[in-house]
Amino acid sequence: MNATATKTSNLGDRLLTGIERVGNKLPEPFALFTILFLITAIVSTAMAWGDVIVTVPGTDEPLAIKGLFTGEGIAWFTSTLGDNYIGFPPLVTVATILLAIGIAEKSGFLAAAIRYTIGSAPRWLLPYTVGFVGVVGSIMADSAFVVIPPLAALAFKAAGRHPVAGLLGGFAAAGAGYSTNIFPTSLDALFAGITNAVIPTVPALAENATEVNPISNYYFNIVSALVLSVIAGWVIDKIVEPRVERAKVSREEVNPETGQIMTDTRSMRIVGDEQTVTESQEPKTEAELSPREKKALIWACVTFVLIAVVLTVFALLPNSPWRNEEGNFLPASPLLASIVFIIFVFFSVSGYVYGRIAGSIRGFKDVPVMMGEALKDMTSFLVLAFILGQFIALFNWSGIGSWIAVTGATGLQNVGVTGFPVIIGFIILCSLLNLFIISGSSMWTLMAAVFVPMFGILGFEPAFIQAAFRVGDSATQVMTPLNPYMVVLLAMLRKYEPEAGLGTVMARMIPFVVPFWVAWTVILMVFYFFNLPLGPGVGIMIEQ
């Protein structure tokens, strides 16, 4: 590593050490929201004793703040504890979608699609393919951070390009573009559920704003995913790979003790999200699908298309039950309310077809097993959802959310900070908090409780604020040491560059973070100033 790179790495190490030191002082998400719940309980009680009231738009009578540590508050909490948890909106949609995606993932369908896409790309197109696969890889949730980077490295090496460029590019695209996709995912359902949970704090907002569903940001997501994919590919091709070449990073794995290129004759075969090492006489890359896997993927994709055709025909029937009373689909209809069902059918059926042909599913009895494994993967969220549900419920019931929204919106109007500049400030705040709060569900729960009602009073649709959050939520997470997958990436990188540290990783991620953040903000700006729909029936501003 040259002197400049070393200096940059040292500077990055110091910066990341500072971030890590501050971040490590934060409690884990469950403990953090327990503390926030108690703070809200104490503050609400003090405000109730102080007879604090607030006039919320859409109501005739002032709203009195209610305290948890009062007779009324204790009765409310002890009688609604279970409802607060089970009624946490994201649980209904996220759990259902994850059951279907679990079949598609555990059967190997999603991994096969990724392997085929990367493995079949020509040499010049490979960086852009990795960028695209990385961005849409969020459909596999956190598995994308483990599967895509090493697969991209293998594909780059097989094409005669630097494997480290593929490794870094795959990780950056998967992380910095995590909040967007060309397909509706469980993350869309999660965000939508949290957004809807806080809308009722302002009656005028609940009455006039458009209800958020998993495809409320769909148009915005498609544009974002495609643009970010191209940017990721350009950065890999024009910045990262040349820098790696200039730094003389080895193209082969290096012995960390001797610094010599390893003469390991093992090969890595990636199947689904599992990595197995097999002995062979020569180094070998098996990112390509076997004939049986190709056949399974073809039939799964055919199934995917056939489902789309059948559902489209059913929806377009003149008397389709998916139409609303006016015979339309927008702004609300049973079709939009059936998005979870549609996503479930797409991924569960296609995943099952792939599994049966590929041999990963031997019979229908394997389906509930895969669903169970998918639920196991979300156990941590199911636990976290308990305290998130209590926090949101208290925030809404006490009236504190309404008070903050009205006070904040009035303050912004008084100082003349409205319109898109306030959205820019919100995105910056999200990006900074993202360095310390990695959990997207935790951060959106916190941010939505305050900013969805506040910006709703200023006239912004909740779905638009959710879209703005997506921009700030993803871009910076690939450069914070609090991201547990940064350590995984570092371990992979050290196979080629033994002296690499977290500062090295940060320096290699910055070329992705800055253009991603800027481009994504510009995309949101275009939607805002041209008043483009974010998704089916969802605009930028609330129509009175």
Side-chain angles (χ1 to χ4, degrees), residues 96 201 208 292 316-317 541:
T96 305
T201 58
N208 299 308
R292 185 175 184 180
L316 294 179
L317 290 174
M541 308 300 293

Side-chain angles (χ1 to χ4, degrees), residues 299-311 346 350:
W299 280 106
C301 291
V302 169
T303 302
F304 201 92
V305 173
L306 288 176
I307 292 173
V309 171
V310 171
L311 294 179
F346 267 121
S350 299

Side-chain angles (χ1 to χ4, degrees), residues 41-373:
I42 294 171
V43 172
S44 66
T45 302
M47 294 176 73
W49 289 344
D51 296 323
V52 176
I53 60 174
V54 61
T55 301
V56 182
T59 59
D60 298 326
E61 299 293 331
L63 174 68
I65 303 300
K66 295 181 286 188
L68 180 64
F69 297 126
T70 62
E72 181 184 12
I74 292 174
W76 167 80
F77 183 64
T78 57
S79 61
T80 61
L81 180 70
D83 291 337
N84 295 341
Y85 174 40
I86 302 301
F88 186 50
L91 284 179
V92 178
T93 52
V94 173
T96 305
I97 290 177
L98 277 178
L99 289 176
I101 293 181
I103 297 174
E105 181 180 357
K106 305 301 180 183
S107 67
F109 173 42
L110 296 181
I114 289 175
R115 290 166 57 205
Y116 177 78
T117 303
I118 294 180
S120 61
R123 188 178 189 278
W124 69 270
L125 190 61
L126 189 55
Y128 300 91
T129 304
V130 169
F132 176 75
V133 169
V135 170
V136 302
S138 61
I139 198 169
M140 299 176 65
D142 287 1
S143 297
F145 291 105
V146 179
V147 175
I148 295 175
L151 182 58
L154 289 172
F156 263 62
K157 184 176 181 180
R161 306 192 64 153
H162 206 297
V164 171
L167 180 74
L168 296 171
F171 182 86
Y178 191 81
S179 288
T180 191
N181 210 306
I182 63 171
F183 303 106
T185 70
S186 58
L187 189 65
D188 296 300
L190 173 63
F191 284 171
I194 294 174
T195 304
N196 286 330
V198 300
I199 289 177
T201 58
V202 179
L205 185 61
E207 181 179 350
N208 299 308
T210 305
E211 183 179 357
V212 181
N213 62 55
I215 60 170
S216 290
N217 289 158
Y218 191 47
Y219 302 156
F220 174 72
N221 281 347
I222 291 177
V223 174
S224 299
L226 295 177
V227 171
L228 295 182
S229 297
V230 173
I231 292 176
W234 186 87
V235 171
I236 295 170
D237 189 37
K238 304 300 182 182
I239 299 178
V240 174
E241 190 168 23
R243 288 183 63 186
V244 170
E245 295 282 9
R246 288 194 298 270
K248 300 187 184 303
V249 177
S250 173
R251 287 172 173 262
E252 306 292 339
E253 293 188 13
V254 178
N255 189 314
E257 297 180 358
T258 65
Q260 299 296 314
I261 294 177
M262 297 176 65
T263 57
D264 192 355
T265 60
R266 296 178 301 171
S267 66
M268 178 175 287
R269 175 177 171 82
I270 300 183
V271 180
D273 54 1
E274 300 293 331
Q275 299 179 4
T276 60
V277 178
T278 58
E279 296 296 332
S280 65
Q281 297 301 316
E282 298 178 355
K284 182 181 177 184
T285 301
E286 289 194 45
E288 295 185 1
L289 301 177
S290 67
R292 185 175 184 180
E293 289 171 325
K294 286 183 179 179
K295 179 181 178 181
L297 181 60
I298 290 173
W299 280 106
C301 291
V302 169
T303 302
F304 201 92
V305 173
L306 288 176
I307 292 173
V309 171
V310 171
L311 294 179
T312 300
V313 171
F314 181 76
L316 294 179
L317 290 174
N319 297 319
S320 172
W322 275 352
R323 295 178 181 270
N324 56 27
E325 294 180 356
E326 290 75 32
N328 301 317
F329 300 113
L330 300 176
S333 66
L335 174 64
L336 294 183
S338 302
I339 294 302
V340 172
F341 164 80
I342 293 172
I343 296 173
F344 183 89
V345 171
F346 267 121
F347 289 102
S348 61
V349 177
S350 299
Y352 180 78
V353 169
Y354 176 89
R356 287 290 290 177
I357 297 175
S360 55
I361 296 180
R362 293 162 296 179
F364 193 76
K365 65 180 184 303
D366 290 339
V367 172
V369 175
M370 290 181 173
M371 287 182 167
E373 291 175 351

